[in-house]
Amino acid sequence: MAIAYLEKRLGSGVKRAAKTWFSPHMAAASRAVSERIPLVDLVLEIRDARIPLSSEYDHLRNFSSSLKRIIVLNKMDLANRSEIKEWMRYFEQQNCISFGVNSHNKDNIKEESLFLKFLQAQVKELKKIDHSSYTATIMLVGIPNVGKSALANSLHQIGRISAAEKGKLKHAVVSPIPGETKDISSLKVCFRWLPSKLMKRIGSHPNVYVLDTPGILPPDILDVEMCSKLALTGAVKDCLVGEKELAQYFLATLNLSDEYKKWEKLCTEENERSTTDHRLRFLGRSELDAKRKRQYPTDHTQDFVVHDARRTLFETISSFHGDLEKEKDLSRLIETQFTALQEAFRVASESGEDTEHKVAAKLLNLYRTGRLGHYTLDFLTRNIQ
């Protein structure tokens, strides 16, 4: 496929940066996590729903199949739902429990509550077997930036014991930048063998506590396609590979998908918007000026800018007559899209590289927040032989 040349270039950059991310600090964190896994009741392996296979936590392979593990597919609202259902069926066939959540979205309280009840049910089943303690510990593990800390905070917020306890809570640091969790953090613990101020309680009957851990990547990733997916979804810092290269990879992914076809109606809406503006001009400038004052063209997250970006992408793809399976044609379309998006994002013409950097940064942000469609980059039929 034509996208392979971008994966090779991007993946090679990620592999070269491996020594940067697998620092002595990450190596020490890896050892610490491995030492504590046998001491906990349940391990939640947090994966990115957009890359259910590529975001696998490699270190769990060192433990026996008897390890009590649940795969949690986070950021479900950013992924393709039909593809995720296939992956969850696959995990079930492999005798592995999986559950989908959106821990970064604070509006999904009901969904998170269901997940908390699910965890409590799992713990109660464990305690039927092991009656040694009425307290259970859950460890969250995963690669960087899959939402471990956000999930820990979300579960704790829903499952806290009393409102009076709220003011005493210590929350895990949540950031879109990979590697922000530096240490193993067990928030608000009641265990005497761990710092009491760090363990996080999420439920009672039985008491359930969550142990948050740093994101850890393996020191070597041989597959360039996997490296590219990890970089695009934010598991690796953008500065290590370049925002422009990541944006090009996303555009290639979009161009080869059917996601853009959902935006066809935006062309019609644009015509209707022009008609509305014309009507407002006829009625008087005060109403039109009031409407425009509520808009900030330089803010790419505003709905009207996002709509313009979607419409621009739809028009550039649907009007393109080249063969997207050919590397040269795909590159030509991506170059055209960068130029068109400069206008959609209201990026002033400056030096070439600075303009492209701004366009790339805005494009990546909209992709990673789900404003430009839903994508599952790992395909079950292709990744599992």
Side-chain angles (χ1 to χ4, degrees):
M1 295 177 65
I3 197 173
Y5 85 95
L6 284 171
E7 291 174 338
K8 183 177 180 180
R9 187 173 66 185
L10 192 59
S12 297
V14 174
K15 289 173 70 174
R16 286 195 298 271
K19 292 182 180 179
T20 303
W21 79 56
F22 200 80
S23 61
H25 174 271
M26 186 174 284
S30 178
R31 290 191 298 271
V33 170
S34 296
E35 290 170 0
R36 285 165 175 77
I37 284 178
L39 304 177
V40 302
D41 297 284
L42 183 63
V43 174
L44 299 187
E45 182 190 358
I46 317 301
R47 298 191 189 184
D48 190 320
R50 295 168 294 178
I51 47 173
L53 183 64
S54 299
S55 58
E56 177 185 5
Y57 188 69
D58 189 69
H59 295 274
L60 288 183
R61 295 183 181 182
N62 300 325
F63 294 88
S64 68
S65 57
S66 61
L67 176 70
K68 187 62 177 178
R69 175 190 63 153
I70 296 174
I71 294 176
V72 180
L73 297 174
N74 196 17
K75 307 184 183 181
M76 286 282 287
D77 58 339
L78 304 181
N80 181 294
R81 286 281 177 172
S82 60
E83 291 285 343
I84 287 302
K85 287 179 180 178
E86 291 295 322
W87 275 105
M88 294 182 81
R89 276 194 288 267
Y90 168 76
F91 291 137
E92 185 179 2
Q93 291 169 2
Q94 302 299 309
N95 297 317
C96 187
I97 302 171
S98 62
F99 203 101
V101 298
N102 296 311
S103 67
H104 63 295
N105 191 333
K106 295 181 180 179
D107 296 329
N108 287 296
I109 298 298
K110 183 178 180 181
E111 186 176 277
E112 301 295 345
S113 297
L114 291 174
F115 182 52
L116 178 60
K117 291 178 181 178
F118 166 76
L119 287 181
Q120 290 173 326
Q122 293 294 316
V123 169
K124 285 179 180 179
E125 287 298 315
L126 288 175
K127 291 307 172 184
K128 288 180 181 178
I129 302 171
D130 178 14
H131 299 281
S132 61
S133 172
Y134 203 63
T135 301
T137 315
I138 298 175
M139 176 179 277
L140 306 185
V141 299
I143 66 171
N145 211 24
V146 289
K148 296 183 296 299
S149 297
L151 180 59
N153 287 335
S154 180
L155 290 174
H156 183 37
Q157 184 70 16
I158 296 166
R160 68 180 184 269
I161 304 308
S162 67
E165 195 178 44
K166 184 177 179 182
K168 304 175 184 178
L169 301 184
K170 177 173 179 178
H171 286 76
V173 176
V174 178
S175 170
I177 302 173
E180 285 300 295
T181 302
K182 304 296 185 184
D183 304 296
I184 296 177
S185 300
S186 40
L187 304 180
K188 198 167 173 80
V189 79
C190 287
F191 293 109
R192 295 186 178 180
W193 50 274
L194 284 174
S196 61
K197 64 180 180 179
L198 293 179
M199 176 123 358
K200 176 165 290 189
R201 186 177 184 180
I202 67 170
S204 59
H205 308 296
N207 294 321
V208 183
Y209 296 88
V210 167
L211 192 66
D212 190 17
T213 64
I216 299 171
L217 284 167
D220 295 302
I221 304 176
L222 301 178
D223 190 306
V224 293
E225 182 180 351
M226 183 182 293
C227 288
S228 301
K229 294 172 183 177
L230 290 171
L232 182 58
T233 53
V236 179
K237 291 182 179 179
D238 293 347
C239 61
L240 297 178
V241 288
E243 288 181 319
K244 181 182 176 182
E245 289 73 14
L246 289 169
Q248 289 174 331
Y249 184 45
F250 164 67
L251 287 174
T253 301
L254 169 65
N255 295 337
L256 295 170
S257 74
D258 293 328
E259 196 70 16
Y260 74 94
K261 294 179 181 178
K262 299 176 183 178
W263 305 330
E264 183 176 6
K265 64 179 182 180
L266 294 178
C267 295
T268 304
E269 291 176 358
E270 173 64 18
N271 292 332
E272 292 175 353
R273 186 171 68 180
S274 298
T275 303
T276 301
D277 284 353
H278 178 74
R279 178 176 58 81
L280 288 173
R281 289 192 187 93
F282 180 77
L283 293 174
R285 292 202 58 83
S286 60
E287 191 175 349
L288 179 61
D289 290 342
K291 177 186 175 184
R292 286 177 172 170
K293 283 180 180 178
R294 295 192 295 269
Q295 299 179 346
Y296 302 91
T298 56
D299 181 3
H300 66 281
T301 64
Q302 290 208 119
D303 288 345
F304 76 97
V305 178
V306 176
H307 289 173
D308 284 350
R310 291 172 178 170
R311 178 176 50 79
T312 297
L313 290 169
F314 173 81
E315 291 175 349
T316 53
I317 301 172
S318 58
S319 63
F320 187 73
H321 300 297
D323 184 356
L324 293 181
E325 294 299 325
K326 294 182 178 178
E327 178 183 325
K328 186 175 181 181
D329 286 354
L330 182 59
S331 297
R332 182 158 54 90
L333 173 57
I334 291 173
E335 185 177 344
T336 300
Q337 289 171 319
F338 257 89
T339 302
L341 286 170
Q342 180 182 338
E343 181 179 349
F345 286 140
R346 281 75 170 172
V347 176
S349 297
E350 300 168 359
S351 60
E353 288 187 5
D354 191 44
T355 298
E356 289 183 340
H357 173 78
K358 289 181 178 179
V359 170
K362 292 173 184 287
L363 186 67
L364 281 175
N365 175 262
L366 293 184
Y367 157 67
R368 288 171 175 169
T369 53
R371 306 294 296 279
L372 293 179
H374 308 87
Y375 306 85
T376 298
L377 306 179
D378 284 339
F379 295 101
L380 187 60
T381 53
R382 192 169 70 190
N383 288 100
I384 301 296
Q385 301 298 325

